[in-house]
Amino acid sequence: MGIVRKIKIDGREVAFCASAAIPRLYRLKFQRDIYKDLNALDKAIRNGNEKESNLDLFSLEMFENIAYIMAKHANSSIPDTPEEWLEQFNTFSIYQVLPQLIELWSLNVQTDVESKKTSPN
């Protein structure tokens, strides 16, 4: 069970889920490390300031993949590819959505660390 948050994209609420399964799902689907990718994206967007950001097409693809895997984890009826999922939307700003996904992921990691601290081992 993870943390679910709804984020408004293209005028509608989309559910995203962060849980311990996300790194594995992301690695299996895209053969990449979500921790490294989120860190790189966080640095690239420079606190949501488009003028100071350093995003390239590869960064945009990483963002789309992360958003897709977190949305698919929240709602299994989402299409099986990021391309099919993205077809549902006109366009949306990485600068509005990515910071919310990073925050959601941070809440999940924080919750996971707190639960390990309180578990009797």
Side-chain angles (χ1 to χ4, degrees):
M1 179 168 198
I3 300 172
V4 177
R5 174 179 284 174
K6 291 188 178 185
I7 299 173
K8 191 171 258 190
I9 296 179
D10 198 21
R12 61 184 180 178
E13 298 286 319
V14 178
F16 292 90
C17 181
S19 78
I22 290 291
R24 180 178 174 81
L25 295 170
Y26 187 77
R27 186 175 56 253
L28 289 172
K29 182 82 171 169
F30 303 110
Q31 292 77 49
R32 297 193 51 82
D33 182 331
I34 195 167
Y35 293 102
K36 289 180 183 178
D37 289 354
L38 277 170
N39 188 40
L41 287 171
D42 191 28
K43 288 178 183 177
I45 64 166
R46 308 265 187 218
N47 298 321
N49 186 337
E50 287 185 54
K51 292 178 182 168
E52 294 179 22
S53 75
N54 187 25
L55 289 172
D56 55 17
L57 286 175
F58 185 69
S59 298
L60 181 58
E61 185 176 338
M62 280 192 308
F63 159 70
E64 292 165 344
N65 291 344
I66 291 168
Y68 166 77
I69 212 77
M70 292 174 92
K72 179 78 171 171
H73 193 48
N75 179 355
S76 62
S77 70
I78 283 176
D80 289 330
T81 68
E83 295 80 14
E84 290 175 291
W85 178 66
L86 289 166
E87 283 285 323
Q88 302 175 54
F89 309 105
N90 288 320
T91 183
F92 56 92
S93 172
I94 187 173
Y95 300 98
Q96 293 173 348
V97 177
L98 182 58
Q100 294 180 74
L101 291 180
I102 290 170
E103 181 183 340
L104 175 61
W105 183 250
S106 296
L107 289 171
N108 175 66
V109 171
Q110 179 182 356
T111 302
D112 189 40
V113 168
E114 287 174 4
S115 69
K116 285 181 184 175
K117 284 182 183 176
T118 60
S119 67
N121 285 340

